Amino acid sequence: MAWLESRHSVEYRPELADDLVVLRKMAYKTRGIVFPRQTVVTREFLDFVPKLKAVGRLHVGTDNTDLEACKERGIKVIHASSANVRSNAEYLLSSLLLLYRRGVVSALMGRRHPTAQMGRELHGSTVGILGLAPTAHTLAGMLTSLGVRLIGYDPAVHHTAPIWERLRIQPVTLTELVSQSDAVSVQMLYATRFRGFVNEKLLAACKRNQVWVGISRSALFDENALAAALCDGRIEACILDGAEDNFTADGSPVNGLKNLFITPRLGSHTREARLRSSWYVAHRMHEAIAADQRGVDY
């Protein structure tokens, strides 16, 4: 923030994130705003900030930003798309280790006697990589170094693409992935056409006592199919980082399941990731605003 303050007039007003009416009044002449995750940037809001030239997001996604409206107004949308790759990969790895060694969790919760369930080792097991988002690239290297066999599937990547060999992941069909894996890691990029992608037909092929971890949107999962798999032993346990409000709401089939764990978007929540993200957004905000002041396309 000090770096930006040396170049622009900057105000830190986090309380305005929850009061868009006041924000619209105060930001009328503002050229750049960095928004938190929960703030939705709509076409209506943009109508009240005619001088805005840059919208910054410290988190990876742009789901809460009307990209089309920003494009029409010549507003740059800046988000650190790669700043959280390593932190998300480490989150997935740590989640896998926790599910493989459930006794550690029991001990941390203060139980004198660890769970009777015997732990497992990642070394020698097969992990299915569902989705080749950038996080998968880093995760693959971590798992390979631990002696894990990797198989993978991505609906947008052909099985002959060289990326599979480079990452040392054996490309397989979707059904083969869930039938052969001891664990599945989900980091698939989400689009509306993939809603309910992980459905009953797919989970019917699950290898029993499988564990799942994921950082993708929870909308990727069919709640009924996931609940059934968690209840009948196909999936032993599942950790997902973040979920839409209705995913575990009252009446949802996954609500209250003791082997489904939802964390509050902790994958990117590290000091290092936040620092990388902050520096990236600060530099790009400065460039966008400075270019506008010079009348140069950025």
Side-chain angles (χ1 to χ4, degrees), residues 161-224:
I163 186 66
W164 296 110
E165 183 177 358
R166 183 165 67 83
L167 295 178
R168 300 173 70 179
I169 301 174
Q170 177 188 345
V172 295
T173 67
L174 189 56
T175 301
E176 288 172 336
L177 184 138
V178 297
S179 64
Q180 297 178 22
S181 299
D182 299 301
V184 176
S185 178
V186 186
Q187 54 286 312
M188 200 170 113
L189 296 178
Y190 180 77
T192 53
R193 67 181 180 276
F194 294 132
R195 177 174 289 276
F197 184 82
V198 180
N199 54 27
E200 179 56 40
K201 182 179 179 181
L202 173 62
L203 295 181
C206 269
K207 182 178 181 180
R208 289 194 66 79
N209 300 318
Q210 206 168 62
V211 297
W212 284 59
V213 298
I215 57 170
S216 296
R217 292 271 301 276
S218 60
L220 199 67
F221 293 85
D222 179 295
E223 294 99 322
N224 289 295

